[in-house]
Amino acid sequence: MASRARVRAPELVGAGGWLNTGGKELTLADFRGKITILDFWTFCCVNCLHVLDELRELEEKHRDTLVIVGVHSPKFVHEADHRAVVDAVDRYEVHHPVLDDPALATWKQYAVRAWPTLVVIDPEGYVVAQHAGEGHAHALARLVEELEAEHAAKGTLRRGDGPYVAPEPTAGDLKFPGKAVRLPNGHFLVTDSGHHSLVELEADGETVVRRIGDGVRGLVDGTGPRFSEPQGLVLLPEGTADYDLVVADTVNHALRGVRLSDGAVTTLAGTGRQWWQGSATEGPAREVDLSSPWDVAWFDGRVWIAMAGVHQLWAYDPASGTVGVAAGTTNEGLVDGPAAEAWFAQPSGLAVSADGERLWVADSETSALRWVSRETKAVHSAVGTGLFDFGHRDGAAAQALLQHPLGVTVLPDGSVAVSDTYNHALRRYDPASGEVSTLATDLREPSGAVLVDGDIVVVESARHRLTRLRLPEEAVRVDAVAHRTQRAATEVAPGALRLDVVFRAPTGQKLDERYGPSTRLLVSATPPELLVSGAGADSALSRELVLSDTVTEGVLHVSAMAASCDDDPAIEYPACHVHQQDWGVPVKLTDGGARRLPLVLAGLE
């Protein structure tokens, strides 16, 4: 086995304390003798949610030697609220200890630069590997097996139960509902995300009529269906298909069709596997991978999909049974323009204007309200400026602020109600006046809303209920507040900057170039003037950038991908694994700043 660098792991510190430990405060000493993986995550981040799913099998297989510790490191102000972290741990079925680190103390100690980041600590308390982004489950599995063998031989491995203590289960008919639609009979159909099912409620929004799905996570069709954290749903125009509505089955990476007469479910699109760079972007819908579809809407004769996992909009055509990209590049950010060139950031809510000319988009990670023109397919921004600015501020749209909205609803006057999730508010944008106002506050993580006569029924996801409100004639007054993500900017010098993405293939694998480049690096900047040269895509994981001497601050957007394959010439068709991560690195340009920027994709710097 190759020798490893031995760096002592810093202590785990978080002002919010520990969850899933039965009230016990833990230190690194409690993990001595165990292999420990620190998962730096935040619950707004869809890539972090992907990694939670990637780790489930590893966590179960090595439960007597491995402890996974979630270190919750917030991006948004709401995510620093301890109650919200408790809700998120329950919502996403996190079955390991979680340290709530609202001030990013442990994040800074471990020099983390991106969500998600995984740090491996050996049984003697030394950091042995770091991985950023997704696709590392295979590499981690190899490393865990190596560490088990190494420390069993040394006598430093301790087997037995870890410190996880399950919390009390959430009671009630709904558990973190996602979205809702009103059925022709006046009932509501709700995606009961925490129970992995759909629930039909009577017109009162409370009385359960039936449940579609048995509450167990899975991908099963027929009249005994299973879902996995379903979110968006949309009724189709009558006669469109032999099913009545389409559901975004988020964690199954699939679209499902539901026939209301008997509750039968059919998988329409997706394979159950997550889309990766290099996968097909169009084709027969059942043969194309999807990535965390979060909402759906009927627009321009197709089902448009908010594909949160890859920062795009896709579209499914029921007539041809095909699916494909409709807008977005997979780059994460806020860039308007032609559909093929626009950037999104976890689009999570969709709604269509009454005249069918606009598709409204809640673009959650940029805290933005965007729209797509049916005629030109161009993407426009109504509210929001980028990944790091958010808050609760009304007034002219150009200076108004939202905080991670997940839903949009078109109102009778043509304005748009925004489920402003992390502000616990319902906001309104009026295209005629260009003004943003607040309709209601004291909601709890609203994620969608449905119009019912003169009222609006809001999905209060973290209160596990539907809440009916009268649409107010006057806006609610709120104190304006603006925020920026609290990550400290990296100080870099103007002029030449060397960017190095560090990648070490897992044991038994190598970068395989037989069929072309196995790595990809894409670099851009906000504002674009920050980069004098070095922008664009190439296969090398190192690049010489030149930064402007007139721009004082900005964000470097770095997207890296590496495919490692089995290193055995006897294997004709080696198994390959894709590792990928997107970094948004805030930078401040100073004369004494760094001239090298290392970003760890896998390995140690």
Side-chain angles (χ1 to χ4, degrees):
M1 188 185 311
S3 61
R4 301 189 187 89
R6 289 173 65 81
V7 179
R8 178 64 70 178
E11 189 53 80
L12 304 178
V13 179
W18 289 86
L19 289 74
N20 285 355
T21 63
K24 182 179 179 181
E25 296 292 308
L26 301 176
T27 68
L28 272 177
D30 293 298
F31 305 114
R32 192 60 56 84
K34 297 282 190 180
I35 302 159
T36 305
I37 297 178
L38 305 183
D39 176 16
F40 289 87
W41 70 298
T42 189
F43 62 78
C44 73
C45 162
V46 71
N47 310 94
C48 299
L49 304 184
H50 292 165
V51 167
L52 283 175
D53 291 323
E54 287 180 6
L55 293 176
R56 293 185 199 279
E57 182 179 346
L58 182 69
E59 191 171 25
E60 179 61 29
K61 182 177 180 181
H62 299 276
R63 61 190 308 170
D64 65 333
T65 59
L66 171 68
V67 176
I68 294 175
V69 175
V71 182
H72 189 269
S73 312
K75 172 186 174 182
F76 290 99
V77 168
H78 169 59
E79 294 174 304
D81 177 354
H82 182 70
R83 178 183 170 188
V85 179
V86 172
D87 284 344
V89 168
D90 186 16
R91 179 194 293 266
Y92 296 116
E93 299 179 1
V94 179
H95 294 162
H96 50 248
V98 173
L99 176 64
D100 181 11
D101 183 20
L104 302 182
T106 297
W107 168 287
K108 294 170 186 174
Q109 285 280 71
Y110 281 82
V112 175
R113 292 184 181 272
W115 296 277
T117 291
L118 300 165
V119 175
V120 183
I121 302 173
D122 74 12
E124 295 178 281
Y126 290 92
V127 174
V128 295
Q130 180 174 322
H131 301 265
E134 304 177 52
H136 301 295
H138 176 76
L140 289 169
R142 288 282 186 95
L143 181 54
V144 167
E145 290 169 358
E146 290 178 14
L147 291 171
E148 282 179 340
E150 177 183 341
H151 288 275
K154 291 174 65 174
T156 50
L157 185 68
R158 175 169 55 88
R159 296 183 179 273
D161 292 337
Y164 170 68
V165 177
E168 291 296 317
T170 302
D173 292 323
L174 299 178
K175 181 179 180 182
F176 300 110
K179 313 280 186 183
V181 295
R182 196 180 186 202
L183 300 177
N185 63 3
H187 291 180
F188 295 97
L189 192 67
V190 183
T191 49
D192 190 10
S193 304
H195 289 139
H196 311 296
S197 60
L198 313 180
V199 175
E200 183 177 347
L201 303 175
E202 290 187 1
D204 61 8
E206 298 180 2
T207 306
V208 175
V209 176
R210 62 172 168 168
R211 184 175 293 275
I212 301 174
D214 62 4
V216 177
R217 188 190 297 268
L219 179 56
V220 178
D221 285 342
T223 53
R226 287 182 172 173
F227 301 87
S228 188
E229 298 180 33
Q231 287 288 338
L233 66 177
V234 62
L235 284 164
L236 298 183
E238 189 172 351
T240 300
D242 58 359
Y243 43 89
D244 302 293
L245 58 94
V246 174
V247 176
D249 195 8
T250 304
V251 178
N252 276 328
H253 309 297
L255 296 189
R256 316 289 293 283
V258 180
R259 190 169 60 213
L260 290 172
S261 61
D262 60 357
V265 173
T266 303
T267 298
L268 306 175
T271 62
R273 298 184 301 271
Q274 182 184 335
W275 187 94
W276 293 96
Q277 290 288 352
S279 302
T281 56
E282 62 181 356
R286 290 290 301 270
E287 299 174 15
V288 177
D289 299 338
L290 309 182
S291 183
S292 296
W294 212 276
D295 202 7
V296 281
W298 182 256
F299 177 61
D300 196 25
R302 295 182 293 171
V303 176
W304 281 57
I305 309 160
M307 201 72 78
V310 286
H311 317 300
Q312 291 180 307
L313 304 180
W314 287 42
Y316 166 69
D317 185 347
S320 64
T322 57
V323 69
V325 175
T329 64
T330 76
N331 293 327
E332 183 179 15
L334 191 153
V335 176
D336 290 337
E341 301 172 12
W343 293 20
F344 295 91
Q346 282 181 224
S348 301
L350 302 175
V352 180
S353 61
D355 61 6
E357 291 300 313
R358 289 187 180 186
L359 177 69
W360 292 99
V361 182
D363 203 27
S364 63
E365 280 292 288
T366 53
S367 298
L369 175 65
R370 320 277 299 276
W371 58 276
V372 181
S373 164
R374 185 192 66 81
E375 181 179 359
T376 67
K377 298 301 184 293
V379 178
H380 308 264
S381 293
V383 183
T385 58
L387 285 166
F388 303 109
D389 295 294
F390 56 93
H392 192 152
R393 186 163 64 198
D394 288 333
Q399 56 85 54
L401 294 171
L402 309 171
Q403 187 179 180
H404 198 81
L406 291 179
V408 279
T409 307
V410 174
L411 300 179
D413 65 356
S415 64
V416 181
V418 180
S419 295
D420 193 7
T421 309
Y422 287 2
N423 279 326
H424 309 299
L426 192 66
R427 310 287 293 284
R428 176 178 178 264
Y429 168 69
D430 183 358
S433 67
E435 294 285 312
V436 175
S437 57
T438 298
L439 297 175
T441 57
D442 194 32
L443 301 167
R444 189 70 185 167
E445 294 191 13
S447 55
V450 183
L451 281 175
V452 180
D453 303 322
D455 297 342
I456 189 164
V457 176
V458 180
V459 181
E460 276 198 273
S461 189
R463 282 198 176 114
H464 317 291
R465 71 186 189 190
L466 303 188
T467 299
R468 188 163 181 151
L469 304 172
R470 176 69 61 180
L471 278 172
E473 296 182 3
E474 295 185 2
V476 176
R477 285 192 170 274
V478 296
D479 293 330
V481 59
H483 301 290
R484 281 185 66 84
T485 298
Q486 60 179 310
R487 272 194 301 166
T490 299
E491 293 191 359
V492 295
L497 176 72
R498 181 173 178 81
L499 171 66
D500 288 322
V501 173
V502 178
F503 178 77
R504 177 183 176 184
T507 301
Q509 296 212 313
K510 66 175 182 179
L511 292 175
D512 192 334
E513 307 286 345
R514 285 181 295 176
Y515 304 106
S518 58
T519 57
R520 176 178 179 267
L521 180 64
L522 176 67
V523 181
S524 61
T526 304
E529 302 81 53
L530 173 63
L531 268 179
V532 176
S533 66
D538 201 349
S539 59
L541 291 180
S542 294
R543 187 177 303 179
E544 295 292 338
L545 310 180
V546 177
L547 304 185
S548 170
D549 57 5
T550 60
V551 177
T552 58
E553 62 180 4
V555 179
L556 285 174
H557 303 281
V558 181
S559 178
M561 184 275 289
S564 60
C565 303
D566 291 335
D567 187 9
D568 184 348
I571 301 175
E572 183 177 1
Y573 300 106
C576 296
H577 302 270
V578 176
H579 315 256
Q580 66 182 43
Q581 169 65 343
D582 297 328
W583 290 270
V585 183
V587 294
K588 181 178 180 180
L589 278 72
T590 62
D591 288 335
R595 294 202 172 272
R596 178 175 177 265
L597 177 62
L599 299 174
V600 178
L601 179 60
L604 284 176
E605 164 62 6

